[in-house]
Amino acid sequence: MEKQTIFSGIQPSGKLTLGNYLGAVRNWGKLQDEYNCFYCIVDMHAMTQYQVPKDLRKQTLEGLAMLLACGLDPEKNTLFIQSHVPAHAEAAWLMSCMTYFGELSRMTQFKDKSAKQSDNINAGLFTYPVLMACDILLYQADLVPVGSDQKQHIELTRDVAERFNNRYSPTFAMPKPYIPKVGAKIMSLQEPEKKMSKSDENDNANIYLLDPPEVIKKKFKRAVTDSVGVVQLADDQPGIKNLITIYSVCKNMTMDQVVEEFEGQGYGVFKDAVADAVIEVLKPVQDKFHELMANKAYLEEVYKDGADRAERTARKTLRKMYKKVGFIPR
Ligand code: AMP
Ligand code: TRP
């Protein structure tokens, strides 16, 4: 039987958070043998916000180094940079003509982001999900590992794919979100009702993958909890619940086992233990990342080879799309 295909994209804008790692990237390494995997640094998506060119360059490379440091083997996975494969942009034009204004207007990420950047509600911010749909569809992806916030975009991808398949003939596989059960959503350390997001202005809300141990300790010490004083799972203790989630994922334990381990202990002790668990999980990732960033020639080799491989698959789908809609082949 042929392997199923996995595709995911990751933003180069800003540093990866513990949420990105535990909710997404860490789980990708476990998929590389069973699936045909493509991971893309989405530098074109990043343009929906203003980018300082030299920072974008640096962050794109860091994004790639981070994927490698998180355990993705470039032989087993196709790792590439979005702008290196022009088929994404080409397909996006075509698919934008098959996506309705009303559909895009309903996207909650668009509404959130336009509220946040009211001085720059650009057309790309609005059509962002079309480019994302093409990322996925060009590779005939079956599964898309994403956080739950991206589910709506995948539903849109399916709708648009189905529309194309019905209007012309079956062309695209129907992608499904792949969302791991535990640790799928890590919340902000400062406002635990909100997800941990690298766009958060409050630095204390996030743990970044490259935060040094003392910073991690400090951030957990400052994490917002409650006045109940008991380490347990309760709806009115979202901060504690988040810490339990983080600890359980880092230690490979169930949430109930964590509650049991800290029965009768204070928040101070618990927070220190969570910080230590996170430091331990991040140490090998940080070491590998720094080693890779000092080896630009190797990174270049990885992204060039990745682009070649990605291009072959993407071109094949794009050629089919062009032919079916009636474009004359050159
Ligand atoms: P973003 O940071 O929005 O570019 O997301 C990159 C990937 O990480 C996507 O798959 C997100 O859904 C996932 N992700 C981001 N933040 C979190 C979080 N706090 N918890 C779980 N997954 C997350
Ligand atoms: N929109 C995704 C995010 O913000 C990033 C992304 C771009 C993506 N293209 C993708 C994720 C394709 C999965 C598949 O997280």
Side-chain angles (χ1 to χ4, degrees), residues 5-279:
T5 297
I6 282 184
F7 185 98
S8 198
I10 196 117
Q11 293 267 4
S13 50
K15 305 170 263 183
L16 284 187
T17 68
L18 188 66
N20 294 133
Y21 184 61
L22 298 180
V25 189
R26 184 170 95 142
N27 306 301
W28 297 354
K30 300 175 193 153
L31 308 170
Q32 61 194 16
D33 293 312
E34 236 177 291
Y35 299 92
N36 183 21
C37 300
F38 293 87
Y39 298 107
C40 177
I41 308 295
V42 292
D43 54 348
M44 287 162 63
H45 276 105
M47 293 307 291
T48 54
Q49 277 163 303
Y50 180 67
Q51 301 290 337
V52 178
K54 75 172 187 346
D55 295 346
L56 181 61
R57 266 191 293 275
K58 179 160 176 277
Q59 286 165 2
T60 301
L61 268 193
E62 285 178 349
L64 182 73
M66 201 42 112
L67 292 182
L68 295 165
C70 289
L72 295 183
D73 178 346
E75 302 282 324
K76 293 185 178 171
N77 303 276
T78 302
L79 309 178
F80 70 104
I81 297 168
Q82 192 179 29
S83 64
H84 287 177
V85 183
H88 292 241
E90 295 169 90
W93 169 256
L94 201 53
M95 294 312 252
S96 74
C97 299
M98 290 174 210
T99 309
Y100 299 117
F101 185 87
E103 283 177 309
L104 292 173
S105 307
R106 284 196 292 276
M107 295 295 115
T108 53
Q109 182 170 297
F110 172 69
K111 291 185 220 168
D112 291 350
K113 289 203 173 165
S114 24
K116 264 192 209 147
Q117 54 185 78
S118 56
D119 58 338
N120 185 19
I121 307 177
N122 58 76
L125 195 65
F126 188 66
T127 58
Y128 179 112
V130 179
L131 181 60
M132 176 163 164
C134 293
D135 295 343
I136 296 166
L137 297 174
L138 282 172
Y139 299 90
Q140 305 289 350
D142 302 293
L143 296 171
V144 185
V146 285
S148 41
D149 62 317
Q150 294 295 316
K151 260 174 139 173
Q152 198 186 22
H153 289 163
I154 297 180
E155 273 155 31
L156 179 79
T157 303
R158 292 168 61 90
D159 290 344
V160 177
E162 201 162 67
R163 193 167 301 147
F164 190 103
N165 284 350
N166 288 338
R167 194 175 293 176
Y168 302 100
S169 61
T171 307
F172 301 117
M174 276 298 151
K176 282 200 296 270
Y178 173 92
I179 296 173
K181 281 178 203 74
V182 184
K185 203 167 180 189
I186 305 297
M187 311 308 281
S188 152
L189 297 185
Q190 290 300 313
E191 296 166 83
E193 296 82 11
K194 264 178 36 185
K195 84 163 190 162
M196 185 181 284
S197 160
K198 58 196 170 198
S199 53
D200 204 313
E201 270 121 59
N202 184 347
D203 241 21
N204 282 320
N206 287 334
I207 300 291
Y208 294 108
L209 292 199
L210 298 174
D211 278 347
E214 57 287 3
V215 173
I216 296 176
K217 279 212 155 89
K218 194 181 71 195
K219 287 181 179 176
F220 276 108
K221 275 200 170 64
R222 290 183 185 161
V224 167
T225 50
D226 52 67
S227 55
V228 179
V230 182
V231 178
Q232 62 185 7
L233 290 165
D235 287 342
D236 59 347
Q237 293 177 261
I240 287 297
K241 182 174 173 200
N242 188 35
L243 296 180
I244 293 173
T245 303
I246 295 171
Y247 192 82
S248 78
V249 178
C250 290
K251 291 282 192 184
N252 258 321
M253 292 164 73
T254 65
M255 310 266 278
D256 289 331
Q257 283 170 332
V258 180
V259 171
E260 211 172 293
E261 180 177 335
F262 291 94
E263 200 191 322
Q265 309 254 30
Y267 287 173
V269 172
F270 182 47
K271 283 176 165 186
D272 279 345
V274 179
D276 287 339
V278 169
I279 291 166

